[in-house]
Amino acid sequence: MNGRMVARQLGLVAILIGTAMAFSLPWGMDLLGGEWAYERDGLMGLAGAMAVCFLVGAVLRRCGRRAEGQLFRREAMAIVGLSWVMATALGGLPYLLSGTHRTAEHRMGVIDAMFEAQSGFSTTGATVLTDLEDPSLVPRTILFWRSTTHFLGGLGIVVLFVAILGQGSAGKALMRAEMVGPSRASPQARMQQTAWILCLVYFSLNALLAFMLWLLGLGAFDALCHAFGTMATGGFSTYNASIGHFATVPGLNGLLIEMTIVLFMFIAGTSFILLYLSAFRGPKRLFGDAEWRVYAGLLVGATLAVTAYGLYSGDFAEAEATAGERTARPGSPPPAPGGIDATTAAAGEGVEPATGRLPLGRALRYSSFQVVSIMTTTGFVTTDTDRWHSFARGLLLVLMFIGGCAGSTGGGLKVIRYVLLVKILGLEVERAFHPSVVRPLRLGDTVLEEQELRRTVPLYFAVITLIFLVAWLFTITVEPDRTWTAAGLSPAHKLLDSASAVAATLNNIGPGLGVVGAAQNYTHFSPPTKLLFTGLMMLGRLEVFVILALFSPRFWRR
């Protein structure tokens, strides 16, 4: 292991993180909506965190000043893995140094800050903050930094690093270590060129969405924060009710805002390389892609299934009745239900009085938003899905394990792995009764390396399943029942809620079921469980073997 080389590159990453914090400072100014009485602590916290980042970067750069030799795959894996560990620590400093409160009574501790930072960088969107709208608890500058971690983590810290600094042939190893899923980059393309293409698409979509949200009536602060959360498929909002907040604000078209975000969540779950190629070679390139067709088909099918069963079981009528009275995310225990008049008046359309059911259009509005948000692993919410029927909740839980396309900002196991797994199983079934048949493994018109995929694809599913089971058993063993009672819920659902919490963090989604549902958050969990979830979010964001390799003694030997 070339330790000097690793230290030098880590120093650059620390400086990049510190520089990114500077963009949050202007939001503390009166001109941009800040109030000095509330923003003073946020500004001081960010300034202190920036100083630490630059100091750490300088020390690491000095340690690696005499680095020699070439950066190989092992060093690249170490740089990527340790960069995310370092980002978790450095990214949590603004929360700690500013005295940000996770509840009115409790400031964020070290583990809380690491959890929130990793949730941002990994684009999970899980949170321990219970009131985002009180600047005395969470300053605006800290809220913007929170959303900025989504922006940085969506494309990838190292991808941005390679795009800006190049790194020559080393960039190839760095990009391969961080990019999740099979790469769509051309083998002939230089990695810095690929990184710049990804940055171009990512930055353009963020700017376009922020501009559209601004045209729809959002302020610059909210437009940028929600654009970052959408295109990174992260889900951090600046309001307790998440995207559902906009349907209750007079003068805003909540439906148009929601549908705009649905469209961009769908785009964010698509491979950025595929989007780039489709822009220059026409939509045939998009519709001809096998993974994208499955991705789009799953979203449409799941939306129709949730809509149909929701109309049958009355899910959406109940959701409409309580949408304005419960705090969606990150929220605290819900208040007692009231009437639906104010909510339906703000939303613009009510429940049919004769049947107590919603019209088809509003049912599609609720179901499409939640299905796209969950499968793309964004985690925004517009209603409390915990009040839906078990079928819809179960389907959302299944979608958590699928995720977006390879090369997108979406988490999960990726659609392409499921496509390949089905094809591999089909070949194995055929060989069971036709052992002499030799049939290549194809994806569209491309013949794939069959032997390699037969080994890696099922192995990846097996490793994720094992990690899920171990983490689930740890959670139900360590976590006390008071976690549920403190959230105003019954401990009877501990098994299912814990499973959904593990799935939501491992697949970088955020909201789960029950105690971590759309109306709840992660603040009541014990420190050991929060630390576990922090690790799961990192495992879910990167190729799992990159993180697991850090725990192998042989990995660090010269």
Side-chain angles (χ1 to χ4, degrees):
M1 177 67 67
N2 190 336
R4 291 181 184 270
M5 176 72 74
V6 172
R8 187 173 70 179
Q9 306 299 337
L10 289 176
L12 289 173
V13 173
I15 293 172
L16 174 65
I17 294 172
T19 303
M21 292 180 184
F23 292 95
S24 300
L25 296 175
W27 297 104
M29 300 169 54
D30 293 343
L31 182 64
L32 296 178
E35 297 183 39
W36 175 251
Y38 299 130
E39 300 303 325
R40 177 183 56 193
D41 291 340
L43 291 169
M44 295 300 293
L46 281 166
M50 289 172 61
V52 173
C53 289
F54 293 143
L55 178 61
V56 170
V59 170
L60 289 172
R61 291 287 291 170
R62 182 171 179 81
C63 292
R65 69 186 185 280
R66 296 180 181 176
E68 296 179 353
Q70 189 176 352
L71 193 153
F72 294 103
R73 180 173 176 81
R74 188 165 56 161
E75 283 78 14
M77 292 176 66
I79 291 169
V80 170
L82 293 176
S83 291
W84 282 82
V85 173
M86 184 173 64
T88 303
L90 296 179
L93 289 176
Y95 301 108
L96 280 177
L97 300 181
S98 66
T100 299
H101 286 68
R102 62 182 178 88
T103 67
E105 299 81 17
H106 301 96
R107 288 190 174 189
M108 295 179 73
V110 174
I111 294 179
D112 293 321
M114 291 174 60
F115 179 98
E116 200 75 13
Q118 181 53 232
S119 180
F121 283 119
S122 64
T123 70
T124 302
T127 185
V128 297
L129 301 178
T130 57
D131 193 348
L132 303 174
E133 300 175 30
D134 187 346
S136 66
L137 303 180
V138 188
R140 279 165 57 89
T141 49
I142 298 301
L143 276 182
F144 195 83
W145 166 244
R146 184 170 173 261
S147 294
T148 301
T149 58
H150 272 346
F151 180 82
L152 294 174
L155 192 58
I157 301 169
V158 174
V159 173
L160 293 171
F161 174 58
V162 172
I164 296 170
L165 301 176
Q167 301 302 309
S169 61
K172 185 176 182 179
L174 288 169
M175 290 273 287
R176 285 184 173 178
E178 182 173 59
M179 293 179 69
V180 180
S183 174
R184 292 177 176 270
S186 170
Q188 290 78 28
R190 292 185 301 113
M191 279 298 121
Q192 187 179 19
Q193 180 183 355
T194 301
W196 270 115
I197 290 173
L198 292 171
C199 287
L200 174 65
V201 176
Y202 186 62
F203 289 7
S204 300
L205 289 171
N206 269 281
L208 177 60
L209 177 56
F211 180 67
M212 291 178 66
L213 292 176
W214 178 74
L215 289 178
L216 290 173
L218 273 66
F221 181 83
D222 288 337
L224 285 171
C225 288
H226 287 92
F228 293 168
T230 301
M231 291 315 306
T233 62
F236 277 158
S237 176
T238 55
Y239 295 100
N240 294 333
S242 190
I243 305 302
H245 167 83
F246 301 117
T248 64
V249 178
L252 289 183
N253 189 329
L255 172 61
L256 195 53
I257 292 172
E258 290 172 24
M259 292 303 102
T260 300
I261 290 176
V262 166
L263 173 62
F264 278 85
M265 286 192 296
F266 175 77
I267 293 173
T270 302
S271 165
F272 282 10
I273 294 293
L274 182 61
L275 290 173
Y276 178 82
L277 295 175
S278 300
F280 289 95
R281 301 181 186 178
K284 287 185 178 180
R285 184 65 184 247
L286 186 68
F287 290 99
D289 186 81
E291 182 189 21
W292 187 85
R293 291 198 306 269
V294 174
Y295 166 69
L298 284 172
L299 285 174
V300 172
T303 298
L304 293 177
V306 171
T307 300
Y309 205 90
L311 288 171
Y312 172 77
S313 60
D315 287 346
F316 307 117
E318 186 173 2
E320 186 82 353
T322 58
E325 300 150 7
R326 299 188 61 166
T327 303
R329 284 184 67 218
S332 50
I340 68 170
D341 296 339
T343 303
T344 53
E349 188 176 356
V351 181
E352 294 178 356
T355 63
R357 302 182 189 279
L358 283 182
L360 177 61
R362 289 195 58 75
L364 281 170
R365 173 181 174 178
Y366 280 120
S367 59
S368 62
F369 191 97
Q370 301 310 140
V371 166
V372 174
S373 179
I374 292 297
M375 183 165 162
T376 61
T377 72
T378 307
F380 281 140
V381 295
T382 58
T383 186
D384 184 3
T385 54
D386 261 342
R387 290 179 173 260
W388 288 6
H389 190 274
S390 297
F391 169 79
R393 295 166 65 223
L395 184 57
L396 292 179
L397 187 61
V398 171
L399 294 178
M400 289 182 186
F401 286 93
I402 299 178
C405 300
S408 71
T409 59
L413 274 75
K414 306 296 185 186
V415 174
I416 187 63
R417 286 198 175 97
Y418 286 91
V419 173
L420 293 174
L421 182 64
V422 170
K423 289 181 175 292
I424 291 171
L425 290 176
L427 289 178
E428 290 297 328
V429 170
E430 184 179 14
R431 287 178 181 176
F433 58 86
H434 278 160
S436 60
V437 171
V438 178
R439 198 180 304 279
L441 181 63
R442 292 179 177 274
L443 186 63
D445 297 329
T446 305
V447 178
L448 304 175
E449 293 289 340
E450 182 177 348
Q451 295 303 319
E452 178 70 13
L453 290 173
R454 281 177 182 272
R455 179 179 63 86
T456 57
V457 172
L459 177 62
Y460 197 88
F461 277 91
V463 170
I464 292 296
T465 302
L466 180 61
I467 292 172
F468 171 80
L469 292 174
V470 172
W472 176 55
L473 289 173
F474 178 91
T475 303
I476 61 178
T477 302
V478 171
E479 202 58 32
D481 289 347
R482 67 173 177 271
T483 299
W484 279 258
T485 56
L489 300 172
S490 170
H493 303 289
K494 186 175 184 178
L495 289 176
L496 180 60
D497 290 0
S498 297
S500 76
V502 171
T505 50
L506 181 59
N507 294 299
N508 304 133
I509 294 162
L513 303 176
V515 74
V516 293
Q520 305 295 334
N521 60 27
Y522 290 76
T523 197
H524 299 298
F525 280 96
S526 63
T529 306
K530 288 178 183 174
L531 200 57
L532 169 70
F533 290 161
T534 302
L536 290 177
M537 289 186 283
M538 192 183 305
L539 281 170
R541 173 59 181 82
L542 300 174
E543 284 290 312
V544 64
F545 299 110
V546 172
I547 297 298
L548 294 180
L550 301 180
F551 296 94
S552 172
R554 288 183 293 177
F555 177 79
W556 300 101
R557 293 173 187 165
R558 294 185 63 85

